[in-house]
């Protein structure tokens, strides 16, 4: 497969600036970089973004994430490696990423569980992080970016 064009965020530097600025918000509110990389990896798996799947496990490893947790993130419900807060974040990630899979894309039980573990600021930051990785996934998929070209 060949890429259709350069990533739009690279073609339009002001878009890259905006997306990079948005990506700093979640960590500035105190969310764990390891948690954010699990979120990035899970959303990217759902969306089938090979570039982000290939890149975000690398970033997660730099933050000290274990292979065990990285390999099991696709089946986080059945794996014993995640805290209740991480499970709430992963459930929210799946719901926000799969908006067309059900009539109520983010059901109250998923939202309520997230609010048990995250206060208003951190929950807002988590939703922003989920939205941001979905933007990156869509930019990469639409333009057929090549996995391995980006090595974070």
């Amino acid at each position: 497969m060949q890429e259709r064009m350069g990533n739009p965020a690279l073609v339009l530097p002001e878009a890259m600036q905006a997306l990079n600025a948005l990506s700093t918000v979640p960590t500035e509110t105190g969310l764990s970089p390891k948690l954010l990389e699990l979120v990035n990896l899970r959303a990217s798996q759902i969306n089938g973004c090979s570039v982000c799947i290939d890149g975000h496990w690398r970033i997660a490893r730099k933050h000290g994430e274990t292979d065990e947790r990285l390999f099991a993130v696709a089946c986080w419900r059945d794996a014993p490696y995640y805290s209740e807060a991480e499970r709430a974040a992963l459930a929210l990630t799946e719901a926000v990423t799969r908006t067309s899979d059900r009539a109520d894309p983010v059901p109250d039980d998923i939202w309520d569980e997230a609010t048990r573990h995250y206060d208003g600021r951190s929950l807002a930051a988590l939703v922003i992080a989920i939205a941001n990785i979905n933007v990156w996934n869509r930019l990469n998929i639409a333009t057929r970016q090549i996995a391995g070209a980006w090595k974070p």
Side-chain angles (χ1 to χ4, degrees):
M1 183 180 335
Q2 186 174 349
E3 72 180 27
R4 290 179 168 147
M5 66 179 286
N7 187 299
L10 295 174
V11 173
L12 302 171
E14 56 276 14
M16 179 64 91
Q17 277 184 297
L19 291 169
N20 282 338
L22 189 60
S23 73
T24 65
V25 171
T27 52
E28 289 172 358
T29 63
L31 289 179
S32 158
K34 286 170 67 172
L35 171 68
L36 293 169
E37 291 309 322
L38 291 175
V39 163
N40 290 338
L41 185 56
R42 186 64 192 123
S44 300
Q45 289 171 338
I46 292 166
N47 289 325
C49 181
S50 62
V51 171
C52 289
I53 292 169
D54 185 59
H56 284 287
W57 72 263
R58 296 170 196 280
I59 298 170
R61 290 282 304 275
K62 289 177 184 176
H63 288 296
E65 192 55 84
T66 66
D67 287 344
E68 189 168 71
R69 286 167 42 93
L70 290 171
F71 297 154
V73 75
C75 61
W76 61 268
R77 285 178 181 83
D78 300 318
Y81 311 124
Y82 309 98
S83 70
E84 290 303 311
E86 290 169 329
R87 291 175 188 283
L90 290 167
L92 186 62
T93 299
E94 290 184 358
V96 172
T97 300
R98 292 181 163 139
T99 58
S100 66
D101 287 357
R102 56 177 81 138
D104 183 8
V106 182
D108 288 340
D109 62 324
I110 290 174
W111 185 262
D112 293 346
E113 184 62 15
T115 64
R116 283 185 354 95
H117 300 281
Y118 302 96
D119 66 17
R121 284 184 55 77
S122 60
L123 185 55
L126 182 57
V127 171
I128 285 171
I130 296 165
N132 197 31
I133 190 60
N134 274 278
V135 169
W136 281 108
N137 290 166
R138 282 149 178 77
L139 293 174
N140 289 328
I141 292 166
T143 59
R144 292 188 180 155
Q145 298 303 298
I146 307 300
W150 172 56
K151 296 271 193 208

